Amino acid sequence: MGNPDFPSDIIPEILSRLPVKSLCRFRCVSKSWLSLIADPDFVKRHLNKATESEDIFNQRRRLIFTDESHRSLFSLDLDEFLNHNDAIDNYLDKDYDNLIINIDDNDDVVATELDYVFSELPNNWAFLVFHSNGLLLCQLYYWDLYLVNPATRESKKLPQMPDVGEAYYFDLFGFGFDHSSGDYKVVMLSYLEGGIMFSVYTLKTGSWRMIQTGYPYKCDLMQHGILLNGGLHWLLDRVGVEHRSPVIISFNLAEENVQEIPLPLASIDAKDYIVGAYRDSLCVTHYADGVTHNEFWIMKEYGVRESWTKVRISIPYSVLRHSGFWKKSHDLLVFRDRLVLCNSNGERFRNL
C-alpha cells in the first residue's frame, strides 16, 4: 500500500472493519486505496466481517421505511434508537400493569430522508422496498425496478423485465444475495394461466434470464418473496386439484429450482394467510382486514412439518410482520403501520 511500516495485509484488514461511509471517504486517499475498496474480493470480505461479528453488525443496522404517501424513503439508525431509551430493556423484562407505553417525544432519534432515488423521479413513489446484504430493491409505481446502495448513495435502474406472454395476471418479486455465486439476484414470479414461471436478474450480468420450467401453482394475494435459508418463499395454491391445496414454495437462489414446504395445518387458506420470517425461522400469520387474531405459527426447524409451533401474543392483530430486527430477548414487530417492541414470549410490548 506504499507504506513500508505496515505489512501488506494489515491495511485491508483494518479497512474491512470500518463502516461503508468511512470507506467511501477513504477512496480519495490514494489510487491504491480506491482500487482496494472497489475490488469485489474486498467487498465480499467487508460484508463477511459485518455479518459474522455481532458487535460490528449491531452497530450498522438501519431501518428503511417509506412515509404514508410512499413518495419518500427514510433511514433510521435502529440501534441508536433502541439504545436511546435505557428503560426499554428494564420495562420489557419486568411485570407492569400497562402493556403499552408510548415513548416520549424527546426520546426520538431523527430519521434521515434518502432522496437520491426520488430526486431523479420526483413524480414517482415507491410501491415496494426489498433489502438484502446492504442493498435495496425499490419497485416504483410504474413498475420500474431500482437497485440502491444507501451507504454510497448510488442507484441502478434495472433493464425492462422479460415479456412472458399475454396470458398472465400479475408479477410478484423477491430479492436476495446468492452466497454460492457472490451475486445479487432479483426474482420475478409471473402468474400465468395454468401456473407460474420465474425470471431471474443477476447484478453481475446486468440482464434478465427466463427459466423455462413452469410450476403448477396459483396466487390469490400480491405477496412477495420472503428471503430465508437461501431461498425466496411464497404461500400459494396448487393447480389441478379438486379442493384448495395451499403450500409454501421456496425458490432456491443457488440452484434456481423450487421445493415445497408443508404448512402447519391443512385447513389454512392461502388467501387468508401470508408467509414471513420470524428471526431465522419461517412463520405464517393471518392476513384479514377487519378481523383480528392473537396467534401465529413459527417453523422452528426449517422444512420439518412437525416443528411448526403456535405462538400467542397479547395484542390482537389484523396484519403482523417481523421487521427483521431483534435484540437479546426482544423483537421489533410491525403491526400494520406501527412498530412494536416485544419480548420473546409475546406478553410485553412497547410502542415505538
Side-chain angles (χ1 to χ4, degrees):
M1 300 296 295
N3 190 334
D5 297 329
F6 287 95
S8 60
D9 59 341
I10 291 297
I11 290 182
E13 177 66 21
I14 294 173
L15 293 180
S16 68
R17 299 172 180 272
L18 298 179
V20 175
K21 285 187 176 181
S22 297
L23 293 179
C24 291
R25 294 197 301 269
F26 294 160
R27 290 183 298 184
C28 302
V29 171
S30 66
K31 290 183 178 180
S32 58
W33 280 37
L34 174 62
S35 177
L36 170 65
I37 294 171
D39 183 81
D41 290 334
F42 175 81
V43 173
K44 184 176 181 180
R45 180 180 183 178
H46 182 267
L47 178 62
N48 290 338
K49 287 283 188 184
T51 55
E52 291 172 0
S53 172
E54 183 175 345
D55 291 337
I56 296 176
F57 178 74
N58 287 345
Q59 294 172 10
R60 301 181 184 175
R61 298 187 298 178
R62 303 195 71 85
L63 191 64
I64 308 294
F65 56 94
T66 66
D67 62 2
E68 292 183 0
S69 69
H70 293 268
R71 294 184 182 276
S72 297
L73 280 176
F74 294 89
S75 173
L76 179 69
D77 187 318
L78 181 67
D79 293 282
E80 180 185 358
F81 182 75
L82 296 180
N83 293 329
H84 197 62
N85 190 316
D86 296 333
I88 288 180
D89 287 349
N90 293 331
Y91 170 80
L92 289 169
D93 288 335
K94 294 181 179 179
D95 185 18
Y96 285 83
D97 293 332
N98 297 322
L99 296 183
I100 303 176
I101 296 179
N102 290 320
I103 292 179
D104 295 334
D105 291 339
N106 58 9
D107 288 326
D108 289 344
V109 175
V110 177
T112 303
E113 184 174 1
L114 308 179
D115 58 0
Y116 32 87
V117 173
F118 294 94
S119 61
E120 298 182 4
L121 301 163
N123 296 320
N124 222 318
W125 54 285
F127 181 60
L128 288 168
V129 180
F130 304 84
H131 67 90
S132 180
N133 277 23
L135 293 189
L136 303 178
L137 173 68
C138 299
Q139 181 183 0
L140 303 185
Y141 179 68
Y142 293 108
W143 300 100
D144 292 329
L145 295 173
Y146 280 78
L147 283 175
V148 179
N149 187 326
T152 64
R153 302 175 65 88
E154 297 173 328
S155 63
K156 174 183 177 67
K157 183 179 180 180
L158 272 61
Q160 184 175 354
M161 292 168 280
D163 184 3
V164 298
E166 296 181 358
Y168 87 104
Y169 300 102
F170 52 78
D171 299 315
L172 304 177
F173 293 92
F175 176 52
F177 184 76
D178 177 10
H179 291 272
S180 67
S181 63
D183 200 2
Y184 289 89
K185 292 184 176 181
V186 180
V187 177
M188 181 176 73
L189 182 159
S190 299
Y191 177 24
L192 310 167
E193 185 176 349
I196 64 172
M197 67 179 299
F198 293 93
S199 301
V200 178
Y201 169 89
T202 59
L203 182 58
K204 285 184 177 180
T205 65
S207 61
W208 288 94
R209 171 172 40 86
M210 292 180 63
I211 298 176
Q212 297 302 322
T213 304
Y215 297 93
Y217 305 102
K218 63 179 182 179
C219 315
D220 283 312
L221 291 175
M222 291 285 288
Q223 54 180 309
H224 293 272
I226 299 299
L227 180 63
L228 188 72
N229 204 42
L232 293 164
H233 300 77
W234 287 269
L235 177 55
L236 306 175
D237 267 315
R238 296 185 182 94
V239 172
V241 294
E242 183 177 353
H243 302 287
R244 297 185 72 95
S245 181
V247 66
I248 296 173
I249 69 164
S250 171
F251 181 86
N252 186 280
L253 290 175
E255 302 296 331
E256 296 187 353
N257 57 19
V258 170
Q259 65 173 339
E260 292 188 353
I261 297 176
L263 287 163
L265 298 173
S267 60
I268 284 181
D269 194 328
K271 71 178 187 301
D272 296 328
Y273 289 79
I274 57 174
V275 64
Y278 190 94
R279 297 196 174 197
D280 293 323
S281 300
L282 277 179
C283 71
V284 175
T285 61
H286 294 268
Y287 183 86
D289 286 333
V291 180
T292 59
H293 304 271
N294 65 349
E295 62 186 27
F296 60 96
W297 294 86
I298 296 176
M299 181 178 252
K300 293 191 173 181
E301 186 176 351
Y302 184 80
V304 178
R305 182 171 189 168
E306 292 74 19
S307 70
W308 281 109
T309 303
K310 184 183 289 188
V311 177
R312 297 186 180 276
I313 58 176
S314 302
I315 297 180
Y317 72 90
S318 59
V319 179
L320 173 66
R321 293 183 177 89
H322 198 287
S323 70
F325 298 107
W326 62 89
K327 183 179 180 182
K328 297 179 182 178
S329 60
H330 309 145
D331 293 86
L332 189 62
L333 305 182
V334 183
F335 282 72
R336 185 174 287 281
D337 57 356
R338 62 177 172 140
L339 292 172
V340 177
L341 188 69
C342 69
N343 64 5
S344 58
N345 63 19
E347 295 179 357
R348 294 289 160 202
F349 292 82
R350 186 176 181 121
N351 277 333
L352 300 184

